[in-house]
Amino acid sequence: MSEDTPRFPAPGGPVGPLWVVTRGSGPPLVLLHGNGEDHHVFDKMVPALGVGRMLIGIDSRAHGRSPRGDGPLRIATMADDVAHVLDLLGLPAADLLGFSDGGNIGLELAIRHPARVRRLVVVGANLFPEGTSAWTLTGVRVMHRVVAALARVVPPLLVVAERFALMAHDPEIEPDDLSRVRVPTLVVTGERDLVRPEHTRLIVESIPGARAAVVPRAGHMLPTQAPQRLSALVAGFLAEPLPGALFGGTPEDNGTKT
């Protein structure tokens, strides 16, 4: 990566539409948090993941310090936001770690902006709401209806209602679209994840060459509940050499000269 890539040390700063925090130097690794969170969800993983890398923590729109912005709040829109931030940072491409909705954003980014992703790790991701357990989806949709009703009289709750809508009705990724993801991909879930195991298998089987990893005795919140085990999986995966011809060329071909 270029030495003149802008840095935004903690607490970070605005980069176009989003709030961004950077740490360290080396090949860039973008961190994308889940619904209702911000980049701090990865705090326990920073010491392990930051060795020899530039970590780029991004608060998705309507989360953390990032403003709501215009237009619909959708996973696909959030993926476009990430591509825009990479443009503004002068990074043609980066490795990406996305948790929960951040994983969904990562999948959309790899589909919509394939040249921007070198390697992809998604943790607790889903292609559509029905990929989560029945009790999870039922609870989310009930909460969405309740918060949306309250937001009619308490306007600050509108953004909260929109976040619930993301889990209740988004993303909308077709499994066939994942065949266009041509980068090394690791799909991680907890043994007791709220994402259904068969849905995770669908994601893995739909991405050429993707691999799966299950963290034993863990639930959905792997970055906070099993940070060391998740960090080891991610660091090991990112340390592997890029396969080159299988995924369309060398790191330089993917726009990531280091």
Side-chain angles (χ1 to χ4, degrees):
M1 60 176 292
S2 172
E3 286 300 319
D4 58 6
T5 300
R7 263 57 169 186
F8 296 88
V15 178
L18 303 181
W19 189 266
V20 174
V21 179
T22 64
R23 172 174 169 158
S25 61
L29 172 61
V30 173
L31 307 176
L32 300 177
H33 61 81
N35 193 293
E37 303 161 353
D38 62 18
H39 66 276
H40 287 294
V41 76
F42 295 106
D43 280 356
K44 293 180 180 179
M45 300 177 64
V46 165
L49 294 183
V51 177
R53 298 186 185 88
M54 179 182 184
L55 300 182
I56 303 171
I58 297 178
D59 288 355
S60 296
R61 64 164 64 202
H63 290 73
R65 297 195 184 192
S66 291
R68 163 65 177 79
D70 299 321
L73 190 66
R74 300 294 304 275
I75 294 296
T77 304
M78 292 171 164
D80 293 341
D81 288 343
V82 174
H84 185 41
V85 166
L86 291 177
D87 283 338
L88 295 174
L89 292 176
L91 296 173
D95 295 328
L96 191 144
L97 166 61
F99 165 62
S100 199
D101 266 4
N104 304 342
I105 294 168
L107 292 172
E108 281 282 22
L109 183 69
I111 293 168
R112 297 165 69 85
H113 306 276
R116 312 318 299 265
V117 182
R118 294 176 74 230
R119 284 171 289 209
L120 176 62
V121 182
V122 297
V123 181
N126 59 291
L127 305 181
F128 34 81
E130 290 75 15
T132 60
S133 66
W135 64 267
T136 297
L137 184 56
T138 298
V140 163
R141 287 180 169 168
V142 168
M143 285 301 299
H144 175 233
R145 288 195 293 270
V146 170
V147 176
L150 290 173
R152 298 190 186 103
V153 293
V154 186
L157 289 178
L158 284 171
V159 171
V160 180
E162 286 187 300
R163 291 179 195 152
F164 273 108
L166 281 177
M167 295 186 288
H169 305 295
D170 219 19
E172 295 181 335
I173 301 173
E174 292 293 334
D176 287 348
D177 290 340
L178 294 180
S179 65
R180 307 206 304 269
V181 178
R182 307 297 295 180
V183 298
T185 301
L186 177 65
V187 181
V188 185
T189 54
E191 183 181 19
R192 301 165 184 154
D193 210 296
L194 57 81
V195 179
R196 295 187 289 115
E198 60 269 28
H199 189 75
T200 298
R201 286 195 295 271
L202 174 63
I203 295 173
V204 174
E205 292 168 359
S206 299
I207 300 175
R211 301 198 326 240
V214 178
V215 179
R217 301 178 303 281
H220 184 65
M221 294 298 300
L222 293 178
T224 56
Q225 295 175 352
Q228 290 80 20
R229 286 183 285 172
L230 180 57
S231 294
L233 283 171
V234 175
F237 177 72
L238 296 179
E240 297 176 6
L242 286 168
L246 176 62
F247 290 97
T250 65
E252 287 75 16
D253 294 331
N254 288 330
T256 54
K257 295 182 181 180
T258 58

Short mmCIF file of all heavy atoms in Angstrom, two decimals, residues 60-129:
data_model
loop_
_atom_site.label_atom_id
_atom_site.label_comp_id
_atom_site.label_asym_id
_atom_site.label_seq_id
_atom_site.Cartn_x
_atom_site.Cartn_y
_atom_site.Cartn_z
N SER A 60 -20.47 1.76 9.82
CA SER A 60 -21.45 1.79 8.73
C SER A 60 -22.41 2.97 8.91
O SER A 60 -22.61 3.47 10.03
CB SER A 60 -22.25 0.49 8.70
OG SER A 60 -21.41 -0.61 8.41
N ARG A 61 -23.02 3.39 7.83
CA ARG A 61 -23.97 4.51 7.92
C ARG A 61 -25.06 4.20 8.94
O ARG A 61 -25.51 3.05 9.08
CB ARG A 61 -24.57 4.84 6.56
CG ARG A 61 -25.40 3.75 5.96
CD ARG A 61 -26.26 4.29 4.82
NE ARG A 61 -25.48 4.80 3.70
CZ ARG A 61 -25.93 5.68 2.81
NH1 ARG A 61 -27.18 6.12 2.92
NH2 ARG A 61 -25.18 6.08 1.81
N ALA A 62 -25.44 5.24 9.70
CA ALA A 62 -26.45 5.14 10.76
C ALA A 62 -25.96 4.30 11.94
O ALA A 62 -26.76 3.84 12.76
CB ALA A 62 -27.77 4.58 10.23
N HIS A 63 -24.65 4.09 12.03
CA HIS A 63 -24.06 3.37 13.15
C HIS A 63 -22.85 4.15 13.66
O HIS A 63 -22.16 4.82 12.89
CB HIS A 63 -23.59 1.98 12.72
CG HIS A 63 -24.69 1.02 12.41
ND1 HIS A 63 -25.46 1.10 11.26
CD2 HIS A 63 -25.16 -0.06 13.09
CE1 HIS A 63 -26.34 0.11 11.27
NE2 HIS A 63 -26.18 -0.60 12.36
N GLY A 64 -22.58 4.01 14.96
CA GLY A 64 -21.42 4.68 15.52
C GLY A 64 -21.44 6.17 15.25
O GLY A 64 -22.44 6.85 15.48
N ARG A 65 -20.34 6.68 14.71
CA ARG A 65 -20.24 8.10 14.42
C ARG A 65 -20.57 8.44 12.98
O ARG A 65 -20.45 9.60 12.57
CB ARG A 65 -18.82 8.60 14.74
CG ARG A 65 -18.44 8.46 16.21
CD ARG A 65 -17.21 9.30 16.52
NE ARG A 65 -16.74 9.12 17.88
CZ ARG A 65 -15.85 9.89 18.49
NH1 ARG A 65 -15.32 10.91 17.83
NH2 ARG A 65 -15.47 9.66 19.73
N SER A 66 -20.99 7.46 12.20
CA SER A 66 -21.35 7.74 10.81
C SER A 66 -22.78 8.24 10.71
O SER A 66 -23.68 7.69 11.36
CB SER A 66 -21.19 6.49 9.94
OG SER A 66 -19.83 6.14 9.80
N PRO A 67 -23.02 9.27 9.91
CA PRO A 67 -24.38 9.79 9.77
C PRO A 67 -25.28 8.82 9.00
O PRO A 67 -24.80 7.88 8.36
CB PRO A 67 -24.18 11.10 8.99
CG PRO A 67 -22.91 10.89 8.23
CD PRO A 67 -22.05 10.03 9.10
N ARG A 68 -26.57 9.09 9.08
CA ARG A 68 -27.56 8.25 8.38
C ARG A 68 -27.42 8.37 6.87
O ARG A 68 -27.56 7.38 6.15
CB ARG A 68 -28.96 8.67 8.85
CG ARG A 68 -30.12 8.24 7.97
CD ARG A 68 -30.28 6.73 7.94
NE ARG A 68 -31.43 6.34 7.16
CZ ARG A 68 -31.48 6.30 5.83
NH1 ARG A 68 -30.44 6.66 5.11
NH2 ARG A 68 -32.58 5.90 5.22
N GLY A 69 -27.17 9.58 6.36
CA GLY A 69 -27.08 9.76 4.92
C GLY A 69 -28.44 9.73 4.26
O GLY A 69 -29.49 9.64 4.92
N ASP A 70 -28.43 9.80 2.93
CA ASP A 70 -29.67 9.82 2.17
C ASP A 70 -29.99 8.44 1.60
O ASP A 70 -29.15 7.55 1.57
CB ASP A 70 -29.55 10.83 1.01
CG ASP A 70 -29.29 12.24 1.51
OD1 ASP A 70 -29.88 12.62 2.54
OD2 ASP A 70 -28.50 12.96 0.87
N GLY A 71 -31.21 8.31 1.12
CA GLY A 71 -31.62 7.08 0.46
C GLY A 71 -31.94 5.97 1.43
O GLY A 71 -31.85 6.12 2.65
N PRO A 72 -32.33 4.81 0.92
CA PRO A 72 -32.72 3.69 1.78
C PRO A 72 -31.52 3.13 2.53
O PRO A 72 -30.39 3.16 2.05
CB PRO A 72 -33.28 2.65 0.79
CG PRO A 72 -32.61 2.97 -0.51
CD PRO A 72 -32.44 4.46 -0.53
N LEU A 73 -31.77 2.64 3.75
CA LEU A 73 -30.74 1.98 4.53
C LEU A 73 -30.78 0.50 4.16
O LEU A 73 -31.62 -0.26 4.63
CB LEU A 73 -31.01 2.17 6.03
CG LEU A 73 -29.88 1.74 6.97
CD1 LEU A 73 -28.65 2.60 6.78
CD2 LEU A 73 -30.35 1.80 8.43
N ARG A 74 -29.84 0.10 3.32
CA ARG A 74 -29.80 -1.27 2.80
C ARG A 74 -28.37 -1.79 2.86
O ARG A 74 -27.40 -1.04 2.78
CB ARG A 74 -30.30 -1.32 1.35
CG ARG A 74 -31.73 -0.84 1.13
CD ARG A 74 -32.75 -1.78 1.80
NE ARG A 74 -32.62 -3.15 1.36
CZ ARG A 74 -33.21 -3.65 0.27
NH1 ARG A 74 -33.95 -2.86 -0.52
NH2 ARG A 74 -33.07 -4.92 -0.06
N ILE A 75 -28.24 -3.10 2.93
CA ILE A 75 -26.92 -3.72 2.95
C ILE A 75 -26.16 -3.39 1.66
O ILE A 75 -24.95 -3.09 1.69
CB ILE A 75 -27.05 -5.24 3.11
CG1 ILE A 75 -27.62 -5.59 4.50
CG2 ILE A 75 -25.70 -5.92 2.91
CD1 ILE A 75 -26.77 -5.19 5.67
N ALA A 76 -26.85 -3.41 0.53
CA ALA A 76 -26.18 -3.10 -0.74
C ALA A 76 -25.66 -1.68 -0.76
O ALA A 76 -24.55 -1.41 -1.25
CB ALA A 76 -27.16 -3.33 -1.90
N THR A 77 -26.44 -0.74 -0.21
CA THR A 77 -25.99 0.66 -0.13
C THR A 77 -24.75 0.77 0.74
O THR A 77 -23.81 1.52 0.43
CB THR A 77 -27.11 1.54 0.43
OG1 THR A 77 -28.29 1.38 -0.36
CG2 THR A 77 -26.70 3.01 0.44
N MET A 78 -24.73 0.04 1.84
CA MET A 78 -23.58 0.07 2.74
C MET A 78 -22.33 -0.48 2.06
O MET A 78 -21.21 -0.01 2.31
CB MET A 78 -23.90 -0.72 4.01
CG MET A 78 -24.97 -0.08 4.88
SD MET A 78 -25.46 -1.20 6.22
CE MET A 78 -26.31 -0.05 7.31
N ALA A 79 -22.51 -1.48 1.20
CA ALA A 79 -21.37 -2.00 0.44
C ALA A 79 -20.82 -0.94 -0.51
O ALA A 79 -19.59 -0.77 -0.65
CB ALA A 79 -21.78 -3.25 -0.33
N ASP A 80 -21.70 -0.20 -1.16
CA ASP A 80 -21.25 0.89 -2.03
C ASP A 80 -20.50 1.95 -1.22
O ASP A 80 -19.53 2.54 -1.70
CB ASP A 80 -22.45 1.53 -2.73
CG ASP A 80 -23.13 0.59 -3.73
OD1 ASP A 80 -22.50 -0.40 -4.14
OD2 ASP A 80 -24.30 0.86 -4.09
N ASP A 81 -20.96 2.20 0.02
CA ASP A 81 -20.26 3.15 0.89
C ASP A 81 -18.81 2.72 1.12
O ASP A 81 -17.89 3.54 1.10
CB ASP A 81 -20.96 3.24 2.25
CG ASP A 81 -22.29 3.97 2.20
OD1 ASP A 81 -22.56 4.68 1.22
OD2 ASP A 81 -23.07 3.82 3.16
N VAL A 82 -18.60 1.43 1.37
CA VAL A 82 -17.25 0.93 1.63
C VAL A 82 -16.37 1.12 0.40
O VAL A 82 -15.20 1.54 0.52
CB VAL A 82 -17.29 -0.55 2.05
CG1 VAL A 82 -15.87 -1.12 2.18
CG2 VAL A 82 -18.04 -0.71 3.37
N ALA A 83 -16.90 0.83 -0.78
CA ALA A 83 -16.13 1.05 -2.00
C ALA A 83 -15.73 2.51 -2.14
O ALA A 83 -14.60 2.84 -2.54
CB ALA A 83 -16.93 0.59 -3.22
N HIS A 84 -16.64 3.42 -1.79
CA HIS A 84 -16.36 4.84 -1.87
C HIS A 84 -15.25 5.24 -0.88
O HIS A 84 -14.35 6.02 -1.22
CB HIS A 84 -17.63 5.63 -1.59
CG HIS A 84 -17.49 7.12 -1.75
ND1 HIS A 84 -16.79 7.70 -2.78
CD2 HIS A 84 -17.97 8.14 -0.99
CE1 HIS A 84 -16.83 9.02 -2.66
NE2 HIS A 84 -17.53 9.32 -1.57
N VAL A 85 -15.30 4.69 0.32
CA VAL A 85 -14.27 4.99 1.31
C VAL A 85 -12.91 4.50 0.82
O VAL A 85 -11.89 5.19 0.97
CB VAL A 85 -14.63 4.36 2.67
CG1 VAL A 85 -13.42 4.35 3.61
CG2 VAL A 85 -15.79 5.12 3.31
N LEU A 86 -12.86 3.31 0.23
CA LEU A 86 -11.59 2.81 -0.31
C LEU A 86 -11.06 3.74 -1.39
O LEU A 86 -9.84 3.99 -1.47
CB LEU A 86 -11.77 1.39 -0.86
CG LEU A 86 -12.02 0.29 0.17
CD1 LEU A 86 -12.25 -1.04 -0.53
CD2 LEU A 86 -10.86 0.18 1.15
N ASP A 87 -11.96 4.27 -2.22
CA ASP A 87 -11.54 5.25 -3.22
C ASP A 87 -10.88 6.46 -2.56
O ASP A 87 -9.81 6.91 -2.97
CB ASP A 87 -12.75 5.73 -4.04
CG ASP A 87 -13.20 4.72 -5.07
OD1 ASP A 87 -12.39 3.87 -5.47
OD2 ASP A 87 -14.38 4.79 -5.49
N LEU A 88 -11.53 6.99 -1.53
CA LEU A 88 -11.04 8.20 -0.88
C LEU A 88 -9.74 7.95 -0.13
O LEU A 88 -8.92 8.87 0.03
CB LEU A 88 -12.10 8.75 0.08
CG LEU A 88 -13.39 9.24 -0.59
CD1 LEU A 88 -14.42 9.63 0.46
CD2 LEU A 88 -13.11 10.42 -1.51
N LEU A 89 -9.52 6.72 0.32
CA LEU A 89 -8.27 6.37 0.98
C LEU A 89 -7.17 6.03 -0.02
O LEU A 89 -6.02 5.80 0.37
CB LEU A 89 -8.48 5.18 1.92
CG LEU A 89 -9.34 5.44 3.17
CD1 LEU A 89 -9.54 4.14 3.94
CD2 LEU A 89 -8.73 6.50 4.06
N GLY A 90 -7.51 5.99 -1.30
CA GLY A 90 -6.52 5.64 -2.31
C GLY A 90 -6.13 4.18 -2.31
O GLY A 90 -5.01 3.83 -2.70
N LEU A 91 -7.05 3.31 -1.90
CA LEU A 91 -6.78 1.88 -1.83
C LEU A 91 -7.57 1.16 -2.92
O LEU A 91 -8.79 1.06 -2.84
CB LEU A 91 -7.18 1.33 -0.46
CG LEU A 91 -6.39 1.87 0.74
CD1 LEU A 91 -7.01 1.38 2.03
CD2 LEU A 91 -4.93 1.46 0.64
N PRO A 92 -6.90 0.65 -3.95
CA PRO A 92 -7.63 -0.07 -5.00
C PRO A 92 -8.36 -1.29 -4.48
O PRO A 92 -9.44 -1.64 -4.97
CB PRO A 92 -6.53 -0.47 -5.99
CG PRO A 92 -5.40 0.48 -5.71
CD PRO A 92 -5.47 0.75 -4.24
N ALA A 93 -7.77 -1.97 -3.47
CA ALA A 93 -8.39 -3.17 -2.92
C ALA A 93 -7.85 -3.40 -1.52
O ALA A 93 -6.83 -2.83 -1.13
CB ALA A 93 -8.10 -4.38 -3.81
N ALA A 94 -8.52 -4.27 -0.76
CA ALA A 94 -8.11 -4.57 0.60
C ALA A 94 -8.64 -5.93 0.99
O ALA A 94 -9.61 -6.43 0.42
CB ALA A 94 -8.62 -3.50 1.57
N ASP A 95 -8.00 -6.55 2.00
CA ASP A 95 -8.60 -7.70 2.66
C ASP A 95 -9.77 -7.19 3.49
O ASP A 95 -9.78 -6.02 3.90
CB ASP A 95 -7.58 -8.39 3.56
CG ASP A 95 -6.43 -9.00 2.78
OD1 ASP A 95 -6.64 -9.44 1.63
OD2 ASP A 95 -5.30 -9.03 3.32
N LEU A 96 -10.72 -8.06 3.77
CA LEU A 96 -11.92 -7.61 4.47
C LEU A 96 -12.39 -8.65 5.47
O LEU A 96 -12.46 -9.84 5.15
CB LEU A 96 -13.03 -7.30 3.47
CG LEU A 96 -14.26 -6.58 4.02
CD1 LEU A 96 -14.81 -5.60 3.00
CD2 LEU A 96 -15.34 -7.60 4.39
N LEU A 97 -12.69 -8.19 6.68
CA LEU A 97 -13.29 -9.01 7.72
C LEU A 97 -14.61 -8.39 8.11
O LEU A 97 -14.65 -7.24 8.57
CB LEU A 97 -12.36 -9.09 8.95
CG LEU A 97 -12.97 -9.63 10.25
CD1 LEU A 97 -13.46 -11.06 10.08
CD2 LEU A 97 -11.96 -9.54 11.39
N GLY A 98 -15.69 -9.12 7.90
CA GLY A 98 -17.02 -8.59 8.21
C GLY A 98 -17.75 -9.52 9.16
O GLY A 98 -17.79 -10.74 8.95
N PHE A 99 -18.31 -8.94 10.22
CA PHE A 99 -19.05 -9.70 11.21
C PHE A 99 -20.54 -9.41 11.11
O PHE A 99 -20.96 -8.25 11.07
CB PHE A 99 -18.56 -9.35 12.62
CG PHE A 99 -19.48 -9.80 13.71
CD1 PHE A 99 -19.76 -11.14 13.90
CD2 PHE A 99 -20.09 -8.87 14.56
CE1 PHE A 99 -20.63 -11.55 14.90
CE2 PHE A 99 -20.95 -9.27 15.56
CZ PHE A 99 -21.23 -10.62 15.74
N SER A 100 -21.37 -10.47 11.04
CA SER A 100 -22.82 -10.34 11.03
C SER A 100 -23.26 -9.47 9.84
O SER A 100 -22.94 -9.80 8.70
CB SER A 100 -23.31 -9.81 12.38
OG SER A 100 -24.68 -10.06 12.57
N ASP A 101 -23.95 -8.36 10.09
CA ASP A 101 -24.30 -7.50 8.95
C ASP A 101 -23.05 -7.02 8.21
O ASP A 101 -23.10 -6.77 7.01
CB ASP A 101 -25.11 -6.29 9.44
CG ASP A 101 -26.61 -6.53 9.35
OD1 ASP A 101 -27.03 -7.65 8.99
OD2 ASP A 101 -27.39 -5.60 9.65
N GLY A 102 -21.93 -6.88 8.93
CA GLY A 102 -20.68 -6.53 8.26
C GLY A 102 -20.23 -7.62 7.30
O GLY A 102 -19.66 -7.33 6.24
N GLY A 103 -20.51 -8.88 7.65
CA GLY A 103 -20.23 -9.97 6.72
C GLY A 103 -21.13 -9.92 5.51
O GLY A 103 -20.71 -10.18 4.38
N ASN A 104 -22.40 -9.55 5.75
CA ASN A 104 -23.33 -9.40 4.63
C ASN A 104 -22.87 -8.28 3.70
O ASN A 104 -22.95 -8.40 2.47
CB ASN A 104 -24.74 -9.09 5.15
CG ASN A 104 -25.24 -10.14 6.13
OD1 ASN A 104 -24.73 -11.25 6.19
ND2 ASN A 104 -26.24 -9.78 6.91
N ILE A 105 -22.39 -7.18 4.30
CA ILE A 105 -21.86 -6.08 3.50
C ILE A 105 -20.65 -6.56 2.70
O ILE A 105 -20.48 -6.22 1.52
CB ILE A 105 -21.48 -4.89 4.41
CG1 ILE A 105 -22.73 -4.29 5.05
CG2 ILE A 105 -20.73 -3.81 3.62
CD1 ILE A 105 -22.44 -3.30 6.17
N GLY A 106 -19.80 -7.36 3.34
CA GLY A 106 -18.64 -7.89 2.63
C GLY A 106 -19.01 -8.73 1.43
O GLY A 106 -18.39 -8.64 0.37
N LEU A 107 -20.03 -9.57 1.59
CA LEU A 107 -20.49 -10.38 0.45
C LEU A 107 -21.02 -9.49 -0.67
O LEU A 107 -20.71 -9.70 -1.86
CB LEU A 107 -21.58 -11.35 0.91
CG LEU A 107 -21.14 -12.48 1.85
CD1 LEU A 107 -22.35 -13.24 2.37
CD2 LEU A 107 -20.17 -13.42 1.15
N GLU A 108 -21.82 -8.49 -0.31
CA GLU A 108 -22.33 -7.56 -1.32
C GLU A 108 -21.20 -6.80 -1.99
O GLU A 108 -21.22 -6.57 -3.21
CB GLU A 108 -23.32 -6.57 -0.69
CG GLU A 108 -24.71 -7.12 -0.46
CD GLU A 108 -25.56 -7.18 -1.72
OE1 GLU A 108 -25.01 -7.18 -2.84
OE2 GLU A 108 -26.80 -7.20 -1.58
N LEU A 109 -20.18 -6.40 -1.22
CA LEU A 109 -19.05 -5.69 -1.81
C LEU A 109 -18.33 -6.57 -2.82
O LEU A 109 -17.98 -6.11 -3.92
CB LEU A 109 -18.08 -5.25 -0.71
CG LEU A 109 -16.88 -4.42 -1.17
CD1 LEU A 109 -17.32 -3.05 -1.65
CD2 LEU A 109 -15.86 -4.28 -0.04
N ALA A 110 -18.12 -7.83 -2.47
CA ALA A 110 -17.43 -8.74 -3.38
C ALA A 110 -18.24 -9.01 -4.65
O ALA A 110 -17.67 -9.29 -5.71
CB ALA A 110 -17.13 -10.06 -2.67
N ILE A 111 -19.57 -8.93 -4.55
CA ILE A 111 -20.43 -9.12 -5.72
C ILE A 111 -20.50 -7.85 -6.55
O ILE A 111 -20.33 -7.89 -7.78
CB ILE A 111 -21.86 -9.54 -5.28
CG1 ILE A 111 -21.84 -10.93 -4.64
CG2 ILE A 111 -22.82 -9.50 -6.46
CD1 ILE A 111 -23.14 -11.27 -3.92
N ARG A 112 -20.71 -6.71 -5.90
CA ARG A 112 -20.95 -5.46 -6.60
C ARG A 112 -19.66 -4.75 -7.04
O ARG A 112 -19.65 -4.04 -8.04
CB ARG A 112 -21.76 -4.52 -5.70
CG ARG A 112 -23.14 -5.04 -5.36
CD ARG A 112 -23.76 -4.28 -4.20
NE ARG A 112 -24.12 -2.91 -4.56
CZ ARG A 112 -25.25 -2.55 -5.14
NH1 ARG A 112 -26.14 -3.48 -5.46
NH2 ARG A 112 -25.52 -1.28 -5.40
N HIS A 113 -18.59 -4.96 -6.28
CA HIS A 113 -17.31 -4.30 -6.56
C HIS A 113 -16.18 -5.33 -6.44
O HIS A 113 -15.34 -5.24 -5.54
CB HIS A 113 -17.08 -3.13 -5.60
CG HIS A 113 -18.20 -2.14 -5.55
ND1 HIS A 113 -18.31 -1.11 -6.46
CD2 HIS A 113 -19.27 -2.04 -4.72
CE1 HIS A 113 -19.39 -0.40 -6.18
NE2 HIS A 113 -20.00 -0.94 -5.14
N PRO A 114 -16.16 -6.33 -7.30
CA PRO A 114 -15.26 -7.47 -7.10
C PRO A 114 -13.78 -7.12 -7.07
O PRO A 114 -13.00 -7.79 -6.40
CB PRO A 114 -15.59 -8.38 -8.29
CG PRO A 114 -16.24 -7.50 -9.31
CD PRO A 114 -16.99 -6.47 -8.52
N ALA A 115 -13.37 -6.06 -7.75
CA ALA A 115 -11.95 -5.71 -7.77
C ALA A 115 -11.47 -5.11 -6.46
O ALA A 115 -10.26 -4.97 -6.24
CB ALA A 115 -11.68 -4.74 -8.91
N ARG A 116 -12.39 -4.75 -5.56
CA ARG A 116 -12.02 -4.07 -4.32
C ARG A 116 -11.60 -5.03 -3.21
O ARG A 116 -11.08 -4.60 -2.18
CB ARG A 116 -13.17 -3.19 -3.81
CG ARG A 116 -13.83 -2.29 -4.82
CD ARG A 116 -12.87 -1.60 -5.76
NE ARG A 116 -11.92 -0.73 -5.09
CZ ARG A 116 -12.10 0.58 -4.93
NH1 ARG A 116 -13.19 1.16 -5.39
NH2 ARG A 116 -11.18 1.30 -4.33
N VAL A 117 -11.88 -6.31 -3.37
CA VAL A 117 -11.64 -7.29 -2.30
C VAL A 117 -10.53 -8.25 -2.72
O VAL A 117 -10.59 -8.86 -3.78
CB VAL A 117 -12.92 -8.08 -1.99
CG1 VAL A 117 -12.68 -9.07 -0.83
CG2 VAL A 117 -14.07 -7.14 -1.65
N ARG A 118 -9.49 -8.36 -1.86
CA ARG A 118 -8.41 -9.32 -2.09
C ARG A 118 -8.74 -10.67 -1.48
O ARG A 118 -8.64 -11.70 -2.12
CB ARG A 118 -7.10 -8.80 -1.51
CG ARG A 118 -6.54 -7.56 -2.17
CD ARG A 118 -5.28 -7.08 -1.46
NE ARG A 118 -4.14 -7.94 -1.73
CZ ARG A 118 -3.35 -8.45 -0.79
NH1 ARG A 118 -3.61 -8.22 0.49
NH2 ARG A 118 -2.32 -9.21 -1.12
N ARG A 119 -9.05 -10.65 -0.20
CA ARG A 119 -9.46 -11.85 0.53
C ARG A 119 -10.62 -11.46 1.43
O ARG A 119 -10.67 -10.33 1.93
CB ARG A 119 -8.30 -12.40 1.37
CG ARG A 119 -7.27 -13.14 0.55
CD ARG A 119 -6.04 -13.48 1.37
NE ARG A 119 -5.27 -12.28 1.68
CZ ARG A 119 -3.94 -12.28 1.86
NH1 ARG A 119 -3.27 -13.40 1.76
NH2 ARG A 119 -3.31 -11.15 2.14
N LEU A 120 -11.52 -12.41 1.65
CA LEU A 120 -12.76 -12.11 2.35
C LEU A 120 -12.98 -13.10 3.49
O LEU A 120 -12.92 -14.31 3.28
CB LEU A 120 -13.94 -12.18 1.37
CG LEU A 120 -15.34 -11.97 1.92
CD1 LEU A 120 -15.50 -10.58 2.51
CD2 LEU A 120 -16.38 -12.20 0.81
N VAL A 121 -13.21 -12.56 4.69
CA VAL A 121 -13.62 -13.38 5.82
C VAL A 121 -14.97 -12.86 6.30
O VAL A 121 -15.10 -11.67 6.64
CB VAL A 121 -12.62 -13.31 6.99
CG1 VAL A 121 -13.08 -14.23 8.12
CG2 VAL A 121 -11.21 -13.69 6.52
N VAL A 122 -15.97 -13.71 6.29
CA VAL A 122 -17.29 -13.32 6.80
C VAL A 122 -17.61 -14.19 8.01
O VAL A 122 -17.38 -15.40 8.01
CB VAL A 122 -18.38 -13.42 5.72
CG1 VAL A 122 -18.10 -12.45 4.59
CG2 VAL A 122 -18.53 -14.83 5.19
N VAL A 123 -18.13 -13.55 9.05
CA VAL A 123 -18.39 -14.22 10.32
C VAL A 123 -19.87 -14.04 10.66
O VAL A 123 -20.35 -12.91 10.80
CB VAL A 123 -17.52 -13.61 11.43
CG1 VAL A 123 -17.77 -14.33 12.76
CG2 VAL A 123 -16.04 -13.66 11.06
N GLY A 124 -20.60 -15.14 10.75
CA GLY A 124 -22.02 -15.06 11.09
C GLY A 124 -22.84 -14.31 10.05
O GLY A 124 -23.75 -13.56 10.41
N ALA A 125 -22.53 -14.53 8.78
CA ALA A 125 -23.22 -13.83 7.69
C ALA A 125 -24.44 -14.62 7.23
O ALA A 125 -24.55 -15.83 7.46
CB ALA A 125 -22.27 -13.60 6.52
N ASN A 126 -25.35 -13.93 6.55
CA ASN A 126 -26.51 -14.60 5.95
C ASN A 126 -26.88 -13.89 4.65
O ASN A 126 -26.61 -12.70 4.47
CB ASN A 126 -27.70 -14.62 6.90
CG ASN A 126 -28.16 -13.24 7.34
OD1 ASN A 126 -27.46 -12.54 8.08
ND2 ASN A 126 -29.33 -12.84 6.88
N LEU A 127 -27.50 -14.64 3.75
CA LEU A 127 -27.87 -14.10 2.43
C LEU A 127 -29.23 -13.44 2.45
O LEU A 127 -29.50 -12.55 1.63
CB LEU A 127 -27.87 -15.23 1.39
CG LEU A 127 -26.59 -16.03 1.26
CD1 LEU A 127 -26.75 -17.09 0.17
CD2 LEU A 127 -25.40 -15.13 0.98
N PHE A 128 -30.10 -13.89 3.35
CA PHE A 128 -31.45 -13.34 3.48
C PHE A 128 -31.91 -13.66 4.90
O PHE A 128 -31.35 -14.54 5.57
CB PHE A 128 -32.41 -13.92 2.44
CG PHE A 128 -32.15 -15.35 2.07
CD1 PHE A 128 -32.61 -16.39 2.87
CD2 PHE A 128 -31.44 -15.67 0.92
CE1 PHE A 128 -32.37 -17.71 2.54
CE2 PHE A 128 -31.18 -16.99 0.58
CZ PHE A 128 -31.65 -18.02 1.39
N PRO A 129 -32.91 -12.94 5.40
CA PRO A 129 -33.30 -13.10 6.81
C PRO A 129 -33.66 -14.52 7.21
O PRO A 129 -33.39 -14.94 8.35
CB PRO A 129 -34.50 -12.16 6.95
CG PRO A 129 -34.28 -11.11 5.90
CD PRO A 129 -33.66 -11.84 4.74
#
